[in-house]
Structures are given as C-alpha cells and as structure tokens.
Amino acid sequence: MSTDGATQFLKMDFKASPAVALPVITFTRDAAFHLNGEDLSILHAPAAHTDGDAIVRFTKSNVIHMGDTFFNKLYPFIDYSSGGSAQGMIAAADRVLKITDDHTKIIPGHGPLGTKADLKIYRDMMATISKRVGDQVKTGNTLQQVLASKPTKEYDAQWGKGFLDPERFVTMLYEGMRKK
C-alpha cells in the first residue's frame, strides 16, 4: 500500500496510499486480539487472493470473515501480480474448513453469506479447475487449447455469472500459472 502498484490481469494501476491510510498494525503470521468482549483470531493467508490476505475469526460469535479468499458462488479473482495463487486460495479454504462447524457463518469477500458446506463446495471447485488448468500448463498447452478443453464446464452455470466469466477465469488461472 505504500508504493504504486498494478493489477496486471485487470490492467489497472494504482497510486500509493497516503500515510494516514496505511495500516497501524501489520503482520506476517497469525495474530490475536480481544475487542468488545470478543476474541479475534487473525489468520494470515499467504499467497491467496494476494500476498497480504487475512482471515478474521470471531470465536465467541462463531463467525469467520474470509474476505477475498472466498468468493461464494462466483469464480474468484486471484491477483497473481500481487503474489496471489490458486494454491493459496485452496489452502485458505482448507484452513478455515478445519476450524468451522455446521453453525459457523462465513462472510465471503463477494457473494452471499456462506456456510461450511458452501466453503467446501468452493474449495473443491477451485481444486478441480486449478488441477485441470495446471496439468495443461505443465504439458505446454496453449491458452486456446486450455479454453477449448472447457475445464470449468460443469461449474459454469453456478459459478460463471459473476465478475469473471468462465473464459476470463480460465485465462487468469492459465496466465498466473504460466508465470510461476
């Protein structure tokens, strides 16, 4: 936030934030706070949506805010140019699944309020599509070949109506995985 940056896939440049807008507390590992009678666990989610994601668990309330590490019922945007990765998104979901129960409310960065079941479906969708695209990147397939294989086909009706349509989602994964 303190330097100019860009989101390459979206072709967006952004200026550094002014000093007054910069975070007072930063961290590179998990943290904990007590605020207004609530214990908060801050889970560092490296290399997920970006390289600076945090997941906030409100222990007493049984609520987890996943921010942009969870797009409920939408294909997610992963900012590879800011250190994000599909594997990091899957790892964030796996971590949260281990600490939730069937009554946990999960706040996504985008989409409706979620449940553990919703997060599991999202995680499995991400793992399936990422593997399909990743396998083709490893074998040297072109973007056009990957798109033609329709690696998202059974998910498109549910997940493909958001910010990223299926072709843009696959293109994002392909380009990000090729750079790694």
Side-chain angles (χ1 to χ4, degrees):
M1 291 179 63
S2 63
T3 60
D4 292 349
T7 301
Q8 293 170 357
F9 184 73
L10 300 177
K11 297 176 178 51
M12 294 174 56
D13 295 325
F14 50 91
K15 295 285 183 199
S17 298
V20 69
L22 296 177
V24 176
I25 299 171
T26 61
F27 55 93
T28 57
R29 60 180 189 201
D30 294 354
F33 299 96
H34 185 78
L35 181 68
N36 294 330
E38 181 77 62
D39 291 324
L40 304 174
S41 298
I42 313 301
L43 310 175
H44 180 59
H49 168 67
T50 67
D51 65 358
D53 296 299
I55 296 166
V56 181
R57 180 182 187 196
F58 298 83
T59 308
K60 185 175 164 184
S61 301
N62 198 16
V63 172
I64 297 177
H65 194 311
M66 291 188 66
D68 285 345
T69 64
F70 178 35
F71 284 56
N72 194 11
K73 301 182 180 20
L74 307 163
Y75 286 135
F77 172 65
I78 302 168
D79 190 354
Y80 284 92
S81 61
S82 294
S85 71
Q87 287 311 114
M89 296 287 270
I90 295 164
D94 284 340
R95 188 161 184 210
V96 171
L97 285 167
K98 289 179 185 174
I99 60 171
T100 57
D101 61 37
D102 292 338
H103 303 289
T104 306
K105 291 177 177 44
I106 304 173
I107 303 168
H110 300 271
L113 184 65
T115 63
K116 182 176 186 173
D118 294 325
L119 182 59
K120 176 76 167 100
I121 291 166
Y122 167 80
R123 182 257 178 244
D124 292 347
M125 175 275 298
M126 282 294 301
T128 299
I129 296 171
S130 295
K131 180 170 180 5
R132 289 175 182 168
V133 173
D135 287 350
Q136 292 189 61
V137 167
K138 287 177 191 166
T139 61
N141 285 8
T142 67
L143 174 58
Q144 289 314 110
Q145 290 171 314
V146 175
L147 289 169
S149 76
K150 302 205 178 294
T152 63
K153 65 184 168 225
E154 74 267 29
Y155 298 101
D156 291 345
Q158 164 108 30
W159 299 86
K161 295 179 173 69
F163 171 67
L164 294 177
D165 64 27
E167 186 172 302
R168 294 257 306 149
F169 179 61
V170 171
T171 300
M172 175 200 65
L173 290 173
Y174 178 86
E175 291 177 357
M177 290 176 181
R178 278 192 38 124
K179 289 178 184 173
K180 295 237 173 214

